[in-house]
Amino acid sequence: MVGRRRALLFTLCFLFVSLPSLSSSSLPAFQTLVPNSHSLPSASPVSFQPDSESLLGSEFESGSDDSESSSITLNLDHIDALSSNKTPQELFSSRLQRDSRRVNSIATLAARVPRRNVTHAPRPGGFSSSVVSGLSQGSGEYFTRLGVGTPARYVYMVLDTGSDIVWLQCAPCRRCYSQSDPIFDPRKSRTYSTIPCSSPHCRRLDSAGCNTRRKTCLYQVSYGDGSFTVGDFSTETLTFRRNRVKGVALGCGHENEGLFVGAAGLLGLGKGKLSFPGQTGHRFNQKFSYCLVDRSASSKPSSVVFGNAAVSRTARFTPLLSNPKLDTFYYVELLGISVGGTRVPGVAASLFKLDQIGNGGVIIDSGTSVTRLIRPAYIAMRDAFRVGARTLKRAPDFSLFDTCFDLSNMNEVKVPTVVLHFRGADVSLPATNYLIPVDTNGKFCFAFAGTMGGLSIIGNIQQQGFRVVYDLATSRVGFAPRGCA
């Protein structure tokens, strides 16, 4: 009897130890892609109703304030939705150009010399033309609509996990780009207030200035695509669907230039203390999430959720890592990649390691479109995919994509599966998240690219369809498949 118990115990222990390998070997090798159901997305109408929302400005005076925690859900649209005069091909080409500039800027920022201090004394008298903020990584891809001031004036704002500062264009405007709504005038808001130069908020800015006459804080932010904003650093009330959030520190930009395509400014969702989540953690319990739809196959809007409702029960979580020299980005630990149901031998965890001084690593970014992997990992992954997709008809390279296929006149094809193995979370990508249309003639390309730098970036094409959960209270990020319902 004792012998049988020992044998049973040994068997259970063996199965327990073997579970990871059993799970890995049980990954499916192929999945189906239906090419005819996916095409280049066009500039579809936005999902907001600005006229009706603007009329509600005075009604929001009786809306709920930020005295207690709550959850808020907002629709998101891709920035291309505000470019109705361009063809799908032109939109896609512009998106890839923006993407390259953003990736280059993120890489430059991530490689910079570590900051020795967390605060910076404001420069008296403002800025010289050579002053560039550390937040130079690009101006984001998705936007929402929210109210600014009291009474609330509604504007489009870009949301970006790769930026910390919240800002918008303000009157009087010495230099402003064209936006869809009237420019916000702080003189007409009862809740607008400038920030003193001595304020902790002002000292947290990477690039702060001081108006010596008024003794008020100035800010400057430059982005990798050439966009910039300069103005007064201030506090204001933001309104999200009848919910007011008071005292948000934001930039009121009087000199602005850029490629924001109709948006009034930017709502920074980065990991830093001046980002919207960083400032309002008490209100939303340090939780937010978004789900980005595949615009080539769905007419549903993307969405962002702040608060406890942001956390999906089906999400699989991986710990967030801290970069000692940069607190804006969301770093995660990528252990490996499977293609066609098998771990790719050349993709080792050591390639993605964030070292002790903050170099290397992997970030999740909503504003980068195409996932970039450190080049040795990309080459190994790409070659494994090419082997698995060898029955498909190859097509010439396209832009940054070096693995393309001619899928014209094909109803469905079998493609190798792709799984990203994060610590604690295996993320199996739908075929539409890595084999995407690049023209209107049936050419599809493998939507990954290599980078010569040490930083890898998980982009928004690979995030499509997942609810990506940022649980900052427990320092983790999660992925819930089919999360846009």
Side-chain angles (χ1 to χ4, degrees):
M1 188 70 176
V2 174
R4 288 182 178 178
R5 288 180 178 174
R6 287 179 176 173
L8 178 60
L9 181 61
F10 176 79
T11 302
L12 290 174
C13 290
F14 176 77
L15 288 173
F16 180 77
V17 172
S18 301
L19 277 176
S21 59
L22 288 172
S23 175
S24 177
S25 62
S26 64
L27 293 173
F30 295 92
Q31 60 181 324
T32 301
L33 175 73
V34 182
N36 291 338
S37 67
H38 290 78
S39 59
L40 284 178
S42 58
S44 56
V46 297
S47 58
F48 310 106
Q49 296 179 338
D51 293 335
S52 61
E53 283 186 328
S54 297
L55 293 173
L56 292 174
S58 59
E59 184 179 341
F60 274 97
E61 289 297 294
S62 61
S64 61
D65 60 24
D66 56 1
S67 60
E68 59 182 27
S69 63
S70 61
S71 294
I72 297 173
T73 301
L74 303 171
N75 286 347
L76 295 177
D77 270 299
H78 194 271
I79 201 72
D80 286 348
L82 293 177
S83 302
S84 57
N85 60 333
K86 292 186 177 181
T87 67
Q89 189 72 53
E90 289 171 336
L91 289 173
F92 187 65
S93 178
S94 296
R95 184 181 185 185
L96 293 181
Q97 291 174 14
R98 290 195 305 270
D99 207 45
S100 294
R101 287 192 290 265
R102 181 180 178 92
V103 168
N104 290 338
S105 295
I106 287 178
T108 300
L109 180 60
R112 72 179 183 176
V113 176
R115 292 182 296 179
R116 297 302 179 189
N117 300 302
V118 296
T119 61
H120 307 268
R123 292 176 176 84
F127 304 98
S128 68
S129 60
S130 62
V131 175
V132 178
S133 167
L135 300 174
S136 58
Q137 56 271 12
S139 48
E141 290 286 293
Y142 289 85
F143 65 91
T144 192
R145 193 160 179 81
L146 55 86
V148 182
T150 305
R153 306 293 180 183
Y154 278 83
V155 293
Y156 295 117
M157 295 281 278
V158 173
L159 276 72
D160 184 14
T161 59
S163 300
D164 284 335
I165 304 298
V166 180
W167 67 268
L168 78 160
Q169 297 195 116
C170 287
C173 213
R174 291 185 288 272
R175 175 164 54 171
C176 282
Y177 59 85
S178 176
Q179 66 178 57
S180 299
D181 299 286
I183 292 174
F184 175 71
D185 189 342
R187 295 167 295 188
K188 297 180 180 179
S189 170
R190 298 194 300 273
T191 48
Y192 177 85
S193 178
T194 55
I195 290 177
C197 299
S198 58
S199 165
H201 279 320
C202 192
R203 291 180 175 272
R204 287 194 183 109
L205 290 168
D206 272 358
S207 181
C210 184
N211 184 312
T212 53
R213 181 176 59 84
R214 293 184 294 144
K215 300 188 184 306
T216 55
C217 186
L218 304 175
Y219 80 100
Q220 173 169 307
V221 179
S222 298
Y223 295 92
D225 58 9
S227 308
F228 67 85
T229 174
V230 179
D232 296 310
F233 205 46
S234 51
T235 60
E236 184 56 287
T237 295
L238 301 183
T239 303
F240 302 82
R241 289 192 174 182
R242 304 180 68 89
N243 292 270
R244 294 180 304 182
V245 182
K246 299 176 182 177
V248 177
L250 52 78
C252 199
H254 300 291
E255 294 186 49
N256 316 281
E257 185 173 297
L259 307 174
F260 292 94
V261 199
L266 186 142
L267 190 73
L269 299 181
K271 197 164 172 278
K273 292 181 179 179
L274 286 178
S275 72
F276 183 72
Q279 293 188 57
T280 60
H282 65 286
R283 169 72 188 270
F284 301 114
N285 290 329
Q286 300 184 70
K287 298 176 177 67
F288 75 94
S289 68
Y290 56 74
C291 195
L292 310 176
V293 300
D294 179 357
R295 296 183 305 120
S296 68
S298 175
S299 59
K300 293 189 301 182
S302 301
S303 65
V304 62
V305 182
F306 296 97
N308 289 335
V311 180
S312 170
R313 294 180 179 178
T314 61
R316 295 196 172 187
F317 286 91
T318 185
L320 283 169
L321 306 179
S322 294
N323 187 331
K325 69 176 180 180
L326 187 63
D327 59 4
T328 298
F329 300 133
Y330 293 96
Y331 282 85
V332 292
E333 188 175 4
L334 183 60
L335 302 178
I337 298 173
S338 290
V339 173
T342 303
R343 284 284 189 116
V344 180
V347 183
S350 58
L351 293 176
F352 305 113
K353 186 176 179 59
L354 177 65
D355 66 25
Q356 293 182 345
I357 61 172
N359 295 322
V362 179
I363 66 171
I364 308 289
D365 183 39
S366 67
T368 297
S369 292
V370 179
T371 289
R372 305 306 208 279
L373 299 176
I374 187 170
R375 190 151 184 81
Y378 169 70
I379 291 175
M381 177 194 187
R382 177 204 65 189
D383 291 349
F385 188 85
R386 286 177 174 178
V387 170
R390 58 186 175 276
T391 60
L392 301 180
K393 183 180 178 182
R394 289 291 298 273
D397 297 351
F398 180 90
S399 184
L400 76 165
F401 303 125
D402 62 6
T403 301
C404 300
F405 304 91
D406 180 1
L407 304 183
S408 57
N409 302 318
M410 301 190 73
N411 293 324
E412 65 176 40
V413 294
K414 295 291 184 182
V415 298
T417 54
V418 174
V419 180
L420 305 179
H421 300 288
F422 298 101
R423 181 169 295 282
D426 293 338
V427 179
S428 181
L429 300 180
T432 51
N433 285 30
Y434 56 86
L435 208 55
I436 64 170
V438 298
D439 63 17
T440 56
N441 300 316
K443 179 188 281 191
F444 282 67
C445 293
F446 189 52
F448 288 81
T451 176
M452 299 304 293
L455 179 69
S456 296
I457 306 171
I458 308 299
N460 59 50
I461 291 176
Q462 282 64 45
Q463 298 175 48
Q464 286 177 168
F466 290 91
R467 180 151 295 280
V468 184
V469 181
Y470 296 81
D471 185 353
L472 307 184
T474 55
S475 192
R476 59 181 185 162
V477 61
F479 304 87
R482 297 175 294 280
C484 296

